[in-house]
Amino acid sequence: MLKFTHSLVIKGRHFTGYCTNMKRTVFFISDRTGITAELLGQSLTAQFEDHVEFTYHTIPFVDDEDKALAAVARINQTAVRDGVPPLVFETIVRPEIREIILKSEAILLDFFHTYIGPLEKELGVRSSFSVGKSHSTDDLQAYDTRMSAVNFALNNDDGATTKQYDQADIILVGPSRCGKTPTSLYLAMQFGIFAANYPFTDEDLPNIKLKDGLAKNRHKLYGLSIDPMRLHEIRTGRRPDSKYSSFQQCMFETREVEALYRREKLPFINTTSRSVEELAVKIMNDTGIERRIF
Amino acid sequence: MLKFTHSLVIKGRHFTGYCTNMKRTVFFISDRTGITAELLGQSLTAQFEDHVEFTYHTIPFVDDEDKALAAVARINQTAVRDGVPPLVFETIVRPEIREIILKSEAILLDFFHTYIGPLEKELGVRSSFSVGKSHSTDDLQAYDTRMSAVNFALNNDDGATTKQYDQADIILVGPSRCGKTPTSLYLAMQFGIFAANYPFTDEDLPNIKLKDGLAKNRHKLYGLSIDPMRLHEIRTGRRPDSKYSSFQQCMFETREVEALYRREKLPFINTTSRSVEELAVKIMNDTGIERRIF
């Protein structure tokens, strides 16, 4: 908790505040989804959250003057209410829309125009300033790859059949509820990777042997494990007071799968404190699997 | 196609190139996954892709000096090979790692440190420079919400049962292969939204009536439609030369679902040229559904 006198002049307006518990409103503004502004903006505000309590709002699809003016009105109302200017992280492409947002009573952090000038200079060509230009989403082939990968992940999610494993880029193995399904789906959705997943269940234990479908595709296997206490928590949320969720069973399963990974020299990762994004990228990085879409 | 003489001095090194077909190598470098750098970097390079052919490489998890030095070596080799300095988009948090990358023979666009100074000044507090600080991924509760949402989407993906629809935040309806499944999964994964989806099939057609489970949750319904020619293409990839994939059937189904949406005054969207991200955010924006994770 911090005490300081805040004093700042922004576009002729004087804001002062003597803060013991700092709060700030943050807007993410975009002419598209706002997802990029959110990701980068949050990684920045996260650096200050020991001292400042942020409230977030996203205003997506600000792609004409009326929507820009409405956004400015909302920002200015917030500035008056808060007594401090909101932070605005924006990725607006069209200069005339951005001009309008610039006039708001905000601290504006521009994630797009900041770099366009230097890039034009370096590349020696002018920006096309086209909204929604991005590589994969506008490309039907990339769209199809992504959909095929999502379908592949869904069709190969439970280990019931291993007959499509020859088409897999990777096969995630591990105990139930250690993160295989979301990681396969993320690999499919974000990178177009064909990821199957296979759960080791009671019938595989103890002394797991790789079944035919898995043994044949040994080079594609990647193991997931998890701290038994965390697994116990997750499974308890699903089936409380069962053998399945008992700490003892979770200990047993994680020990057995890790013994398998070591015995078979399979690459593996502990999922406990990792996000799905991080797992997906680590797995690609470890195995050298190439993304099918950028 | 553009002709120009490129001449630039970067850190004492002189690069010249007479280019008729410009190519540039782009690196995304991060101490985490690199996904933010990729998203923002690609929206920037997309503005120049009529003139420049970019090749992309991501170097994730650059979180110690050795990895930073290895990245610099790779960048410098590329600079020599290409005869022009690569573009490096980076989101490295720790100043001492960034210092190393700064010494590479590259055009460096720094998506993190560019803003940290102004933010420190504005907020009156110092950045913690902690790697991996982000709101949702480190938070177990957010993790659980996300997993529950993904499971909900998977368990409510085929319309076989409507009994969990009272727990849904939204129910996407539409013909088979118009984008319901990936959109529901994206809503779950990115925003923690509980999204069910229900396909209208031959047995619902013609003159679709909302079945009990749907009628009871009418306020949660959101329609998807698609151009019949695109639907025909997608279905042909799946089941060529079938009634299911015929253009006539695709025409019939899209006409019938859109008639339903109008008759029942359901909000709906055409998915044809929209990315999954865009569909998800548009649906949230139209309905006012709040994300469960940020």
Side-chain angles (χ1 to χ4, degrees), chain B residues 36-94:
Chain B
T36 304
E38 287 175 2
L39 282 174
L40 184 52
Q42 286 184 358
S43 76
L44 288 164
T45 58
Q47 303 298 324
F48 301 98
E49 63 183 4
D50 294 342
H51 302 288
V52 186
E53 195 186 323
F54 296 102
T55 311
Y56 300 99
H57 302 284
T58 303
I59 312 182
F61 306 117
V62 178
D63 51 11
D64 65 31
E65 295 193 3
D66 287 346
K67 289 180 195 158
L69 289 167
V72 169
R74 200 170 149 192
I75 293 164
N76 289 352
Q77 280 162 18
T78 306
V80 170
R81 187 200 63 194
D82 292 355
V84 282
L87 303 179
V88 172
F89 297 107
E90 58 95 348
T91 54
I92 288 175
V93 173
R94 278 171 51 204

Side-chain angles (χ1 to χ4, degrees), chain A residues 218-265:
Chain A
R218 219 183 152 288
H219 59 293
K220 296 181 182 174
L221 302 185
Y222 195 101
L224 303 192
S225 192
I226 184 169
D227 289 354
M229 186 49 88
R230 176 69 184 137
L231 186 59
H232 165 62
E233 275 172 35
I234 296 172
R235 289 186 173 182
T236 298
R238 200 169 157 87
R239 270 191 246 159
D241 305 318
S242 61
K243 181 190 166 200
Y244 169 78
S245 66
S246 68
F247 179 64
Q248 201 177 10
Q249 179 69 15
C250 295
M251 281 274 283
F252 171 63
E253 292 189 26
T254 50
R255 199 177 51 218
E256 287 293 321
V257 300
E258 290 185 20
L260 169 80
Y261 303 154
R262 291 198 182 91
R263 202 162 60 232
E264 296 281 344
K265 297 187 178 55

Side-chain angles (χ1 to χ4, degrees), chain A residues 2 4 6 8 10 22 24 28 32-33 35-36 38-40 42-52 54 56-58 60-61 85 87 89 91 93 107 109-112 114-116 118-120 122-131 133-138 140 143-144 146-147 150-151 154-155 157 177-179 181-182 185-186 189-191 230 233-234 238 271-278 281-282 285 291 294, chain B residues 2 4 6 8 10 22 24 28 32-33 35-36 38-40 42-52 54 56-58 60-61 85 87 89 91 93 107 109-112 114-116 118-120 122-131 133-135 137-138 140 143-144 146-147 150-151 154-155 157 177-179 181-182 185-186 189-191 230 233-234 238 271-279 281-282 285 291 294:
Chain A
L2 191 95
F4 81 110
H6 178 85
L8 176 81
I10 295 167
M22 268 173 46
R24 270 304 168 109
F28 302 113
R32 300 276 285 176
T33 63
I35 291 169
T36 305
E38 287 174 3
L39 282 175
L40 184 53
Q42 286 184 359
S43 74
L44 288 164
T45 58
Q47 302 298 324
F48 301 97
E49 63 182 5
D50 294 341
H51 303 288
V52 186
F54 296 101
Y56 301 99
H57 302 285
T58 303
F61 306 117
L87 303 179
F89 298 107
T91 54
V93 174
I107 305 298
L109 292 95
D110 185 331
F111 292 157
F112 188 85
T114 302
Y115 302 102
I116 278 292
L119 278 174
E120 285 187 334
E122 168 59 22
L123 297 171
V125 288
R126 303 299 297 265
S127 162
S128 60
F129 288 114
S130 353
V131 181
K133 270 218 160 191
S134 81
H135 305 271
S136 55
T137 54
D138 292 333
L140 278 186
Y143 183 88
D144 290 341
R146 194 182 205 190
M147 291 307 99
V150 168
N151 287 326
L154 292 173
N155 293 336
D157 179 48
R177 297 293 122 182
C178 68
T181 296
L185 286 170
Y186 192 85
M189 192 89 83
Q190 187 75 16
F191 303 113
R230 176 69 184 137
E233 275 172 35
I234 296 172
R238 200 169 157 87
T271 65
T272 310
S273 54
R274 292 193 162 99
S275 69
V276 171
E277 290 84 348
E278 204 179 337
V281 176
K282 270 213 187 286
N285 206 36
R291 61 207 295 160
F294 220 121
Chain B
L2 190 95
F4 82 111
H6 180 84
L8 176 80
I10 294 166
M22 268 175 45
R24 270 304 168 109
F28 302 113
R32 299 277 284 177
T33 64
I35 291 170
T36 304
E38 287 175 2
L39 282 174
L40 184 52
Q42 286 184 358
S43 76
L44 288 164
T45 58
Q47 303 298 324
F48 301 98
E49 63 183 4
D50 294 342
H51 302 288
V52 186
F54 296 102
Y56 300 99
H57 302 284
T58 303
F61 306 117
L87 303 179
F89 297 107
T91 54
V93 173
I107 306 297
L109 291 96
D110 184 331
F111 292 158
F112 188 84
T114 302
Y115 301 103
I116 279 293
L119 278 174
E120 285 188 333
E122 169 58 22
L123 296 171
V125 287
R126 303 300 296 265
S127 162
S128 61
F129 289 114
S130 352
V131 182
K133 270 217 157 190
S134 80
H135 305 272
T137 54
D138 292 334
L140 279 185
Y143 183 90
D144 289 342
R146 195 182 205 188
M147 291 308 98
V150 169
N151 287 327
L154 293 173
N155 293 336
D157 180 47
R177 296 292 122 184
C178 68
T181 296
L185 286 171
Y186 193 85
M189 192 89 83
Q190 187 75 16
F191 304 114
R230 176 69 185 138
E233 276 172 36
I234 296 171
R238 199 171 157 86
T271 65
T272 310
S273 55
R274 292 195 163 97
S275 69
V276 171
E277 289 84 348
E278 203 178 339
L279 290 170
V281 176
K282 270 215 189 288
N285 205 36
R291 62 207 292 161
F294 220 121

